[in-house]
Amino acid sequence: MLADHSLFQNRFFQALLCIGILGAVGVIGLRTYRGWSPPATEFNWEQRGHSDFHYGTYVPTEILLNGDSPYTESGIEGYPISKPAPPFSPAHFLAHAPLVLAGLKPANVIFFGFNTLLLVALGWMSCRLISDKTTWGVVLTVILLVLISRPGHQTLFTGYFTAELAIGTTLALHFARTRPWLAGLGIFLTSFKPTFLVPLAILMLCRRDFRAVILGGLFSTAGVLIGLGWLAWFSNPIEVVQGILDSQRSHEANPGINPANSWVRTDLLALLSKSSGTSPSALTYLVTMVPILALPGWLLWNIGKKGYRHGASDASGLLIGLTILVAFYHSIYDCLILIPAWVGLTFYGSKVFGSWSHWQRCVVMVLTSVPAASYFASISSKNALQLTDNSRLWHVLTAVSSLALLTALMVTVGVLIGQRFQRSNTENRET
């Protein structure tokens, strides 16, 4: 397997990787600093540095701490924010309250450093959770690839909290059977963004990770209730819930997130929207998610019955990650949840995916690498090519990652079904 290659044990190569990691963080940090986007009521597309941090974490957290609702138009009046916060869990805002106490500029520096450490930790975990004897050359290579990938770069540049969600997903999937309390904490981290929590919990239940999901549900519920209780202290529970529902409707009505024009979406409905020009509602997503999850869910039920060893890095982790990204509302930076499974495929193929053929591993590895290299579907590329929102080439470029993930899911499902029937035939012949 690739992880055993002597190159990764070479000290000079390891030194080059360290320089590359420092250089990548430095370049992204400089770009973020030069493109820094101070909170304002009008969004500036030319200055997007840490914009997601400001509008998705910092300012909504400040609003919540002041006793106002970040989910409503009336609650955000007087604050430097262009629209109400998305329907993230209030636990997300409370968890980031210390950053608001530090002040805006220190918070930006702290969060950039924190995000960087989380991406480093994700790369380290993806290797060490498979084998604690992994050489530093492999670990450093994975960390560098994570940082220079489009999802990693975008996470650091815009200041989105995807790294927290990816860490949570990895913990949930890997420790579901061995340390369900730790997996439950991972599920709690994913609860910050319900589009992660809902499909993850369903698929883990299909994999028979019952204790982990129950504990994660308790942790997540406690976090939500504490956040809602804080908001209700300044108003009343009915207004709080209504505000969150209004936030969802406002989010759906925002033309800026119409998947037909989006350059970051990965889910199947977003892909279909590029031809129809429509923006599916939350109810549509929930309804269509059920049939998409059905076949992967059946496969996971059988996998869970047999048991598994590498819950985040093996075929079950790969299947869950791909299904989450395809079945529900997700963006390109959310592909960080595939890192553990991608490492398993690429560096530990014969160990983690030993029942797969070499070509099967290679095909899925290449397909899941597409979103990481999809800089051709960025705003910078669009401007350089002078493309419009309705350009056919732009629609093709922004659909490539979605098509790659959908194909990877189909191949994975096909391989697992084939293995399932092969085992059944073998058992029938033996009896």
Side-chain angles (χ1 to χ4, degrees):
M1 57 187 178
L2 183 59
D4 293 331
H5 197 285
S6 59
L7 177 64
F8 296 115
Q9 301 178 24
N10 186 287
R11 295 296 179 85
F12 178 70
F13 181 66
Q14 293 177 4
L16 289 179
L17 290 171
C18 289
I19 294 173
I21 290 171
L22 293 175
V25 174
V27 169
I28 299 172
L30 181 61
R31 185 188 176 209
T32 305
Y33 174 77
R34 288 180 173 177
W36 190 66
S37 172
T41 54
E42 294 292 333
F43 187 77
N44 183 358
W45 281 104
E46 300 303 319
Q47 296 289 114
R48 301 189 300 278
H50 259 202
S51 56
D52 283 327
F53 171 64
H54 294 151
Y55 299 118
T57 299
Y58 185 89
V59 178
T61 300
E62 183 181 26
I63 295 172
L64 182 139
L65 291 179
N66 289 338
D68 297 316
S69 174
Y71 304 108
T72 63
E73 293 286 352
S74 59
I76 68 172
E77 286 184 5
Y79 292 96
I81 188 171
S82 56
K83 57 183 180 294
F88 298 149
S89 168
H92 160 65
F93 302 126
L94 290 179
H96 294 86
L99 293 171
V100 174
L101 301 178
L104 179 60
K105 290 186 177 180
N108 275 270
V109 176
I110 294 170
F111 193 74
F112 183 89
F114 179 62
N115 243 355
T116 302
L117 290 176
L118 287 180
L119 291 179
V120 170
L122 179 62
W124 178 84
M125 289 171 59
S126 298
C127 298
R128 291 301 176 92
L129 291 181
I130 298 176
S131 173
D132 56 7
K133 296 181 180 179
T134 301
T135 63
W136 274 108
V138 175
V139 174
L140 293 172
T141 299
V142 172
I143 291 173
L144 178 59
L145 291 175
V146 170
L147 290 171
I148 64 175
S149 69
R150 189 181 172 203
H153 181 116
Q154 189 169 0
T155 294
L156 286 181
F157 175 62
T158 66
Y160 207 83
F161 59 98
T162 318
E164 300 171 28
L165 302 170
I167 291 288
T169 303
T170 303
L171 292 175
L173 294 178
H174 184 81
F175 292 106
R177 298 289 179 91
T178 57
R179 299 177 188 175
W181 64 269
L182 184 55
L185 290 177
I187 292 175
F188 167 71
L189 288 177
T190 68
S191 73
F192 291 175
K193 190 173 181 180
T195 54
F196 268 83
L197 173 66
V198 173
L200 175 64
I202 293 173
L203 293 169
M204 288 184 67
L205 285 174
C206 291
R207 202 176 65 168
R208 308 184 189 221
D209 300 330
F210 302 121
R211 287 194 297 169
V213 174
I214 291 172
L215 289 172
L218 292 174
F219 295 151
S220 302
T221 301
V224 170
L225 291 178
I226 292 173
L228 293 179
W230 173 269
L231 287 173
W233 179 267
F234 296 93
S235 57
N236 64 72
I238 295 178
E239 289 183 2
V240 172
V241 174
Q242 185 60 49
I244 295 177
L245 295 176
D246 290 342
S247 170
Q248 177 61 39
R249 284 190 285 269
S250 173
H251 189 64
E252 293 176 8
N254 182 7
I257 66 166
N258 189 331
N261 301 322
S262 174
W263 62 96
V264 293
R265 295 283 291 278
T266 64
D267 50 273
L268 177 60
L269 279 185
L271 180 63
L272 297 176
S273 294
K274 291 189 178 298
S275 58
S276 65
T278 59
S279 182
S281 65
L283 179 60
T284 303
Y285 271 100
L286 289 172
V287 171
T288 57
M289 181 181 69
V290 175
I292 297 175
L293 265 58
L295 189 53
W298 174 74
L299 290 168
L300 288 167
W301 185 260
N302 289 287
I303 290 173
K305 184 177 181 179
K306 288 177 51 187
Y308 52 85
R309 183 178 178 186
H310 304 287
S313 312
D314 63 9
S316 68
L318 173 66
L319 181 59
I320 290 174
L322 287 171
T323 305
I324 289 174
L325 293 172
V326 171
F328 215 55
Y329 182 112
H330 281 288
S331 300
I332 198 75
Y333 36 73
D334 296 335
C335 292
L336 287 175
I337 65 174
L338 290 177
I339 294 298
W342 185 88
V343 170
L345 277 168
T346 308
F347 291 91
Y348 302 91
S350 59
K351 177 180 180 179
V352 181
F353 288 82
S355 61
W356 289 42
S357 68
H358 178 70
W359 77 265
Q360 289 170 339
R361 295 197 300 264
C362 287
V363 167
V364 178
M365 183 270 291
V366 171
L367 289 170
T368 52
S369 299
V370 171
S374 62
Y375 282 99
F376 51 79
S378 64
I379 285 292
S380 299
S381 297
K382 178 185 177 184
N383 293 338
L385 295 173
Q386 297 182 341
L387 301 176
T388 64
D389 287 340
N390 297 321
S391 167
R392 182 172 299 179
L393 176 58
W394 179 239
H395 281 182
V396 171
L397 292 176
T398 55
V400 169
S401 293
S402 301
L403 285 170
L405 292 176
L406 177 61
T407 306
L409 176 60
M410 295 170 65
V411 172
T412 301
V413 168
V415 171
L416 294 177
I417 289 178
Q419 292 177 352
R420 169 70 178 167
F421 281 111
Q422 185 177 10
R423 284 194 300 270
S424 297
N425 292 335
T426 302
E427 292 170 359
N428 290 335
R429 285 196 299 267
E430 291 177 351
T431 56

